Amino acid sequence: YKSVPIEGGRIYGEPYTPIALLAGFASYSLITGDQKARKIGYELGQAVLYGTSCVFLLKILVGRSRPLTDEGPGHFRPAFSFVDDDFHSFPSGHTAIAFAVSTILARNVQPTWAKVLCYLPAVFTPMSRVYQDHHWVSDVVMGGLIGYFFATWVVDQHERNDATAQQKSGLQLSSFFPIAVSIPLN
């Protein structure tokens, strides 16, 4: 119940993990001026904020009982579960955080082996949540999808904005002259 992989997975999905990573990337960026680190920090903050907001709203609206209540996966108390944590099973917030963080990190590294390594701790988070009787399997699947979706969306938006900024920064003759003209120099 308290083994290293199970506790490590739980800790990786805790809200303080992305806060610590964001602080680390932001500090590094301020000290070194590294714009890529700053971008990763922004992406972490945005993806986790959007993902956890969605998770929180769904937890309240759905009101699914946790496995530890012994009421079964089909027991719900929608909209009345605002303060009762026993009915905050669907979806898993820890898993959403873990997959948002891993997706942001994986999208910002190049070698494939590093991308796989970024997802390794996230794999243990849903396992720990189910193993410790806090979530049903469907809860962690939905949490993982939410985290992945918001992280992918945030990175795509940043990449699109970067491409637009690069386009606008230089003089683009093609926007003035849509036909290419070849002029021999000799």
Side-chain angles (χ1 to χ4, degrees):
Y1 191 82
K2 295 280 187 182
S3 68
V4 172
I6 297 299
E7 277 298 292
R10 181 192 60 77
I11 290 168
Y12 189 69
E14 289 285 345
Y16 52 76
T17 300
I19 292 169
L21 286 170
L22 177 118
F25 279 108
S27 299
Y28 178 78
S29 173
L30 287 172
I31 293 167
T32 65
D34 185 350
Q35 294 301 313
K36 179 129 176 132
R38 183 169 297 162
K39 176 184 169 284
I40 293 170
Y42 280 132
E43 290 173 352
L44 281 168
Q46 284 182 296
V48 171
L49 178 67
Y50 300 154
T52 54
S53 296
C54 177
V55 164
F56 183 71
L57 182 64
L58 285 172
K59 282 181 181 288
I60 291 168
L61 292 175
V62 174
R64 187 179 198 185
S65 66
R66 292 188 183 273
L68 53 87
T69 63
D70 289 329
E71 296 189 31
H75 192 262
F76 298 88
R77 254 203 253 164
F80 297 107
S81 64
F82 190 75
V83 293
D84 191 359
D85 191 54
D86 286 345
F87 290 89
H88 286 174
S89 186
F90 182 84
S92 170
H94 282 76
T95 307
I97 289 172
F99 275 88
V101 168
S102 289
T103 302
I104 295 293
L105 296 176
R107 291 282 305 266
N108 284 287
V109 296
Q110 290 307 317
T112 304
W113 65 266
K115 291 179 184 294
V116 171
L117 196 59
C118 288
Y119 279 104
L120 188 60
V123 170
F124 291 104
T125 301
M127 290 171 37
S128 75
R129 302 308 287 165
V130 171
Y131 185 74
Q132 291 178 335
D133 264 352
H134 289 284
H135 291 285
W136 306 100
V137 172
S138 58
D139 301 339
V140 297
V141 168
M142 184 56 118
L145 289 172
I146 289 170
Y148 178 81
F149 168 77
F150 280 106
T152 300
W153 181 76
V154 164
V155 173
D156 288 347
Q157 293 300 314
H158 282 232
E159 287 174 356
R160 190 173 298 119
N161 290 343
D162 289 347
T164 303
Q166 285 176 355
Q167 239 179 10
K168 289 180 180 179
S169 68
L171 178 61
Q172 300 293 322
L173 292 178
S174 62
S175 62
F176 298 111
F177 303 107
I179 299 171
V181 177
S182 175
I183 301 172
L185 295 175
N186 46 5

